[in-house]
Amino acid sequence: MQLQVARIGKPHGIRGEVTVQVLTDAPGDRFVPGTEFVVEPASAGPLTVNSARWNKDILLLGFDEIRTRNEAETLRGAKLFIETEELDEDDDEGWYEHELVGLEARIGPRVVGKVTALNTMPVQDLLMVTTPEGKEILVPFVEQIVPEVNVDGGFILLTPPDGLFELNAEEQAAASEPEEKA
């Protein structure tokens, strides 16, 4: 099984280093020199780490296969995966993105959308829920708002604060109004 551990950002410097969005709880274990990653798109990899260092709160990685800034630029947006057999199915501390994407989002018995992404943020994670109308709603992934995640049942239960879905819908409608008038 493959587990996504990072998404590559912009190049850093002239020697082929890149910034990465870390998607793992154990970056010190995952990003060590010699680690080989499966890359999506496949044409960009595999990649082998030769350096890993922190610049403030940003992880910078260097790869054996990438030596210049121009080569690093071609990696922007690529996803890094590791091969793993050791996913702990009894881990109640969290979920991986691949477990959540595709689950129905419900408020009580009513289906309000599908989970389309998990955005890992420094303070709290956000679930991206896409409504049947195609609107994207960001839902804080905290126990008070998402009290139940039922992967086997194919759904998450939401108890959003009043207006969460309506507020997001109004903001998207306001953002699209100038386009309609033009």
Side-chain angles (χ1 to χ4, degrees), residues 5 20 24 26-37 47-54 59-64 80 82:
V5 294
V20 294
T24 178
D29 298 334
R30 301 283 189 214
F31 304 108
V32 294
T35 302
E36 185 174 292
F37 292 106
L47 294 172
T48 306
V49 175
N50 68 19
S51 68
R53 63 187 178 97
W54 291 92
L59 180 62
L60 303 174
L61 293 180
F63 300 104
D64 289 341
L80 300 179
I82 58 164

Side-chain angles (χ1 to χ4, degrees), residues 4 22-23 28 35 43 54 63 77 81 95 110-111 122 146 151 155-156 162 164-165 168:
Q4 184 179 358
V22 176
L23 302 174
T35 302
S43 60
W54 291 92
F63 300 104
F81 295 85
W95 292 269
R110 184 170 54 105
V111 175
V146 188
V151 175
F155 70 92
I156 61 168
D162 290 341
L164 177 68
F165 277 74
N168 278 294

Side-chain angles (χ1 to χ4, degrees), residues 160-172:
D162 290 341
L164 177 68
F165 277 74
E166 294 79 13
L167 180 63
N168 278 294
E170 288 171 12
E171 288 176 4
Q172 287 185 1

Side-chain angles (χ1 to χ4, degrees), residues 21-23 118-127 138:
Q21 176 187 9
V22 176
L23 302 174
L118 170 66
N119 296 332
T120 55
M121 310 298 280
V123 176
Q124 73 183 21
D125 296 339
L126 297 171
L127 289 173
L138 292 174

Side-chain angles (χ1 to χ4, degrees), residues 63-140:
F63 300 104
D64 289 341
E65 300 82 0
I66 305 298
R67 295 288 179 205
T68 67
R69 183 179 183 88
N70 288 344
E71 291 173 337
E73 183 65 46
T74 66
L75 297 177
R76 190 184 291 239
K79 298 175 183 178
L80 300 179
F81 295 85
I82 58 164
E83 290 288 340
T84 183
E85 306 275 330
E86 61 207 48
L87 290 182
D88 184 0
E89 299 300 329
D90 297 328
D91 183 8
D92 289 333
E93 297 218 6
W95 292 269
Y96 294 107
E97 182 175 24
H98 71 271
E99 294 176 300
L100 299 170
V101 171
L103 297 181
E104 284 184 344
R106 299 178 184 174
I107 298 176
R110 184 170 54 105
V111 175
V112 294
K114 281 202 178 294
V115 177
T116 53
L118 170 66
N119 296 332
T120 55
M121 310 298 280
V123 176
Q124 73 183 21
D125 296 339
L126 297 171
L127 289 173
M128 171 94 55
V129 175
T130 302
T131 67
E133 298 81 33
K135 295 184 172 103
E136 295 178 336
I137 310 293
L138 292 174
V139 178

